[in-house]
Amino acid sequence: MNVSDLDINFFTYENHEDIPSSGGVYAFFVPLAIHDTDEMGETFAERFVNSIEAYRDLLLPDSGESAWYAAMDSWTSASGEIRITGKEVGRSIQDWAAGMGYQELDKINEILFNLSLFMPPIYVGMTTKRTFTARYAEHVENIDALQGKLKDFRSRFNAKADRLNLTLSVSDLIFATLPMDLGLGKDSIAKFETIAHILGRPTLSTK
């Protein structure tokens, strides 16, 4: 298998009409960004750190964070500051961000947006009967067209984003597609989805 042969594509709501009408593996990613706001009198450094903390919590499950942190040894919190451990970086993210400002926001958000595609997806799925186009519409519109019933991915995402004070909706997410002929029955596909959930930890793939 040659990685360069994989037809992976990324979409946002603005170009969702270009989503292929085929099936395969798909995922939703959270677009990282720092918003230009002085809400509650925040300094840029405070806004930066608060945003990163909110994105961190959005990408983590609602339970078991402490065990996850201990296992990964990647973030610790002290006195309201985020510090990276495991490497000697010399100063906290907040100290670093204090030397920056909103004048650098365009470059900061360009970097964060590109990093979004290397973060854990918030949802991973596989589809055969329904196309990527249909699955995207179902998640964004919160309805299962095939079964005629409501889905709850959008409501769960919105509830968690609201709790973390993130001004994000499902239509803001990045939608990734990898077309392929899965060639498997429904039960087998469900097992592979479970494997993806165990290894990838997409927090909203499961209820």
Side-chain angles (χ1 to χ4, degrees):
M1 180 179 296
N2 192 334
V3 174
S4 63
D5 293 334
L6 298 178
D7 185 23
I8 301 176
N9 289 287
F10 300 94
F11 304 90
T12 61
Y13 188 78
E14 284 70 22
N15 68 337
H16 74 278
E17 293 181 354
D18 297 328
I19 294 174
S21 56
S22 57
V25 182
Y26 67 94
F28 282 97
F29 292 86
V30 176
L32 306 178
I34 308 300
H35 297 290
D36 186 358
T37 176
D38 58 358
E39 182 180 357
M40 299 175 62
E42 288 179 316
T43 65
F44 176 79
E46 291 169 338
R47 162 57 45 176
F48 190 96
V49 168
N50 290 339
S51 297
I52 297 302
E53 284 187 321
Y55 286 123
R56 174 204 63 192
D57 292 340
L58 183 63
L59 294 173
L60 285 173
D62 288 331
S63 60
E65 288 94 337
S66 298
W68 191 88
Y69 288 136
M72 295 299 293
D73 190 32
S74 57
W75 294 86
T76 59
S77 178
S79 303
E81 294 181 287
I82 299 177
R83 296 185 182 276
I84 298 178
T85 61
K87 291 185 178 180
E88 294 297 329
V89 295
R91 54 182 175 169
S92 70
I93 290 180
Q94 189 167 11
D95 291 338
W96 167 78
M100 307 184 76
Y102 287 111
Q103 67 275 9
E104 290 133 334
L105 194 60
D106 287 346
K107 175 54 66 176
I108 289 170
N109 280 338
E110 178 187 355
I111 294 171
L112 287 175
F113 185 82
N114 289 334
L115 284 175
S116 302
L117 303 179
F118 294 89
M119 298 299 104
I122 200 166
Y123 190 102
V124 174
M126 303 172 73
T127 182
T128 53
K129 289 186 178 180
R130 284 169 283 188
T131 64
F132 292 134
T133 307
R135 294 299 282 153
Y136 181 82
E138 288 167 2
H139 286 306
V140 170
E141 297 170 10
N142 223 39
I143 188 168
D144 188 326
L146 190 66
Q147 299 181 24
K149 64 181 182 181
L150 290 176
K151 296 182 70 67
D152 67 350
F153 170 66
R154 187 179 69 178
S155 56
R156 287 186 292 126
F157 176 85
N158 289 344
K160 191 166 186 178
D162 288 345
R163 190 170 72 247
L164 297 171
N165 294 317
L166 286 170
T167 55
L168 283 173
S169 67
V170 172
S171 60
D172 295 318
L173 299 179
I174 301 167
F175 186 63
T177 63
L178 175 55
M180 63 178 297
D181 181 6
L182 295 173
L184 298 170
K186 182 177 179 180
D187 290 342
S188 294
I189 290 175
K191 293 298 186 294
F192 275 105
E193 282 191 330
T194 299
I195 291 170
H197 299 166
I198 292 171
L199 299 179
R201 304 175 70 91
T203 57
L204 293 182
S205 278
T206 55
K207 299 179 182 179

